[in-house]
Amino acid sequence: MLLLRSYISATMGFFNDTASVDSFAINAYCIVSALFFSACAYAQLNDPNPVQWFSAYVFGGCVPNLYWMTTSGKGPASITQKLVTALRVFVVMLGLAIVYKLVTVAPKLSEDEKQHGLLWAFMEHEEGRDSCGLLLLILHSVYLGSVLTHGPRT
């Protein structure tokens, strides 16, 4: 019985270390979200103004992921702090863009569209769909900014 218990603790030791599991989960999230935001950036290439959208999805959705994947939060503190500061500025700019899009789409909403629900009416316009993409980028950037600042739980 003691031999079995020592074998289990030796083979399952990785899952007993919460920092390793958290780091693994963050790495898995970074891979999946980088693939998602890369696909979003690629889909924006046929947009009338693709440069701003492509840049936003690549910078906000992929660059922090790659930095985390290559350093695992153990990179130079000055570079990490600069990236976190850039992410915070990026989030503020995205928030302002969402407010601008809300203001520009509000006059376009007709009474007929509002009867089916304000959110549905908002999503019928390109600005509404753009705002949803920006909101996803904000949530992702805030999460990765906190991961880069605090690292995995220990």
Side-chain angles (χ1 to χ4, degrees):
M1 186 66 168
L2 182 61
L3 182 63
L4 180 62
R5 190 175 299 158
S6 65
Y7 173 75
I8 290 174
S9 68
T11 57
M12 300 296 285
F14 173 78
F15 295 108
N16 291 334
D17 183 17
T18 58
S20 296
V21 172
D22 285 348
S23 189
F24 176 77
I26 293 169
N27 287 343
Y29 171 78
C30 284
I31 291 169
V32 171
S33 62
L35 290 173
F36 173 74
F37 286 115
S38 296
C40 290
Y42 180 75
Q44 294 299 322
L45 289 178
N46 68 354
D47 197 69
N49 48 358
V51 175
Q52 69 184 16
W53 292 108
F54 185 84
S55 302
Y57 281 121
V58 168
F59 175 75
C62 298
V63 170
N65 300 16
L66 295 174
Y67 182 76
W68 172 263
M69 293 291 293
T70 56
T71 64
S72 294
K74 296 174 180 68
S78 62
I79 294 175
T80 302
Q81 189 57 39
K82 287 178 184 176
L83 181 60
V84 169
T85 303
L87 283 174
R88 289 178 181 156
V89 170
F90 182 69
V91 165
V92 169
M93 288 174 27
L94 291 180
L96 291 173
I98 288 176
V99 169
Y100 172 76
K101 291 199 175 280
L102 286 172
V103 169
T104 58
V105 80
K108 295 180 184 179
L109 298 178
S110 67
E111 288 302 316
D112 185 43
E113 288 177 328
K114 290 179 185 178
Q115 287 178 343
H116 301 293
L118 192 58
L119 181 62
W120 186 260
F122 183 65
M123 293 299 291
E124 287 290 320
H125 296 275
E126 183 181 356
E127 292 88 353
R129 294 185 296 274
D130 290 347
S131 296
C132 288
L134 294 176
L135 185 61
L136 285 174
L137 270 174
I138 285 175
L139 295 173
H140 172 73
S141 298
V142 166
Y143 172 70
L144 275 184
S146 70
V147 165
L148 289 171
T149 303
H150 304 295
R153 289 181 294 156
T154 54

